[in-house]
């Protein structure tokens, strides 16, 4: 009975995500033409930053919809069952053997470096095992080079368009910056690290920077991707360097 209820939850989630994607693109007009159009350049910088956030999130909804629908079918067939649950989990068992994404953990994650663990999960596991970890000798700790190469491999796998490469190369540096923040936080008292104001600030910053980089994945063309980034003064790159 548990898997039937879970199936219903996932199927409903898929319908909601697809519905949101269709609404934003057919009625609101948040799409690639919007951020490439002349009206975009006439907007204030704050509006451009916020609308870039909404546009890229809306673009991701079609992925969430298709992935969640396929995941519901895996649960329905029984292939999604995983005895023992995820490694390190105390749940005993779960239905996430072929989980594709954890939507809330992608959209509201205080650490950008943790985001890949919740997005396109099975592909991420494959990249981590066969690329990221194998670039280091046994016993050595993976370096930034491992991350950069892994992201570039993912970019090439997506296609031979500059926007993919720009996004994945940029994301490697963003993940490294996020890790630096995490290491810096470890010197703080726990009440500061877990302060809700600091947590909220990280969630908002992570979302803004992630969707700034993700705009290249949406636009894909080199000149247009750089123009969109330039229209918001490359704030994502500035944050990363800072």
């Amino acid at each position: 009975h548990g898997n039937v209820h879970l199936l219903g939850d996932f199927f409903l989630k898929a319908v909601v995500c697809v519905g949101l994607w269709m609404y934003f693109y057919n009625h609101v007009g948040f799409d690639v033409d919007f951020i490439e159009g002349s009206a975009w350049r006439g907007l204030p910088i704050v509006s451009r930053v916020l609308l870039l956030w909404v546009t890229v999130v809306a673009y991701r909804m079609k992925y969430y919809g298709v992935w969640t629908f396929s995941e519901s079918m895996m649960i329905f067939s029984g292939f999604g069952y995983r005895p023992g649950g995820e490694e390190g989990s105390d749940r005993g068992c779960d239905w996430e053997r072929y989980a594709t994404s954890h939507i809330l953990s992608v959209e509201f994650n205080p650490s950008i470096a943790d985001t890949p663990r919740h997005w396109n999960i099975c592909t991420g596991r494959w990249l981590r095992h066969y690329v990221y970890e194998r670039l280091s000798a046994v016993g050595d700790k993976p370096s930034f080079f491992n991350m950069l190469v892994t992201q570039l491999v993912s970019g090439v796998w997506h296609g031979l368009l500059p926007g993919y490469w720009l996004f994945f190369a940029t994301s490697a540096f963003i993940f490294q910056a996020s890790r630096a923040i995490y290491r810096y936080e470890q010197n703080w008292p726990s009440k500061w690290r877990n302060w809700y104001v600091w947590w909220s600030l990280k969630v908002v910053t992570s979302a803004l920077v992630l969707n700034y980089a993700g705009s290249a994945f949406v636009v894909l063309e080199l000149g247009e991707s750089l123009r969109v980034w330039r229209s918001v003064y490359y704030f994502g790159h500035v944050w990363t360097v800072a």
Side-chain angles (χ1 to χ4, degrees):
H1 291 83
N3 70 327
V4 173
H5 291 179
L6 193 62
L7 169 64
D9 292 342
F10 273 75
F11 190 81
L12 178 60
K13 190 189 300 183
V15 171
V16 170
C17 289
V18 171
L20 286 171
W21 174 64
M22 294 178 66
Y23 174 77
F24 275 109
Y25 278 80
N26 293 329
H27 299 286
V28 182
F30 289 164
D31 56 13
V32 63
D33 294 330
F34 173 67
I35 59 179
E36 288 181 343
S38 58
W40 173 264
R41 292 187 286 271
L43 295 172
I45 178 63
V46 174
S47 298
R48 273 178 264 167
V49 169
L50 295 177
L51 288 175
L52 200 61
W53 181 356
V54 176
T55 301
V56 180
V57 170
Y59 183 85
R60 275 200 296 276
M61 286 297 159
K62 65 179 180 180
Y63 291 96
Y64 288 142
V66 173
W67 286 347
T68 306
F69 178 76
S70 66
E71 192 172 343
S72 69
M73 294 301 99
M74 296 302 290
I75 293 172
F76 182 73
S77 66
F79 287 115
Y81 183 72
R82 180 169 53 186
E86 188 175 0
E87 184 178 353
S89 172
D90 58 359
R91 289 177 292 180
C93 61
D94 59 41
W95 290 89
E96 294 194 357
R97 183 179 184 184
Y98 296 110
T100 52
S101 63
H102 300 141
I103 299 176
L104 295 180
S105 295
V106 172
E107 303 301 335
F108 301 99
N109 200 321
S111 174
I112 302 179
D114 185 55
T115 302
R117 197 164 60 89
H118 304 285
W119 169 265
N120 204 356
I121 297 172
C122 293
T123 301
R125 288 175 183 153
W126 188 93
L127 286 169
R128 182 176 184 86
H129 180 70
Y130 289 104
V131 182
Y132 182 75
E133 294 177 348
R134 295 197 178 193
L135 287 171
S136 298
V138 176
D140 289 347
K141 187 176 181 180
S143 65
F144 171 69
F145 174 77
N146 298 51
M147 174 65 71
L148 181 59
V149 172
T150 302
Q151 292 303 95
L152 288 175
V153 168
S154 183
V156 173
W157 177 85
H158 277 79
L160 302 180
L161 289 170
Y164 293 136
W165 303 351
L166 283 174
F167 167 69
F168 284 102
T170 299
S171 67
F173 289 92
I174 292 175
F175 295 156
Q176 190 69 11
S178 179
R179 288 178 173 181
I181 292 175
Y182 173 79
R183 289 194 298 269
Y184 185 74
E185 282 182 304
Q186 301 317 299
N187 297 317
W188 296 6
S190 59
K191 64 178 181 179
W192 291 7
R193 295 197 305 267
N194 300 321
W195 188 30
Y196 74 94
V197 175
W198 175 242
W199 181 89
S200 301
L201 179 62
K202 289 197 297 180
V203 167
V204 172
T205 303
S206 297
L208 289 174
V209 173
L210 179 65
N211 291 301
Y212 158 86
S215 63
F217 192 100
V218 176
V219 175
L220 294 180
E221 297 297 330
L222 176 61
E224 285 301 312
S225 297
L226 295 177
R227 185 191 65 76
V228 171
W229 284 350
R230 186 167 59 249
S231 72
V232 290
Y233 300 101
Y234 295 98
F235 79 86
H237 288 87
V238 172
W239 174 90
T240 302
V241 173

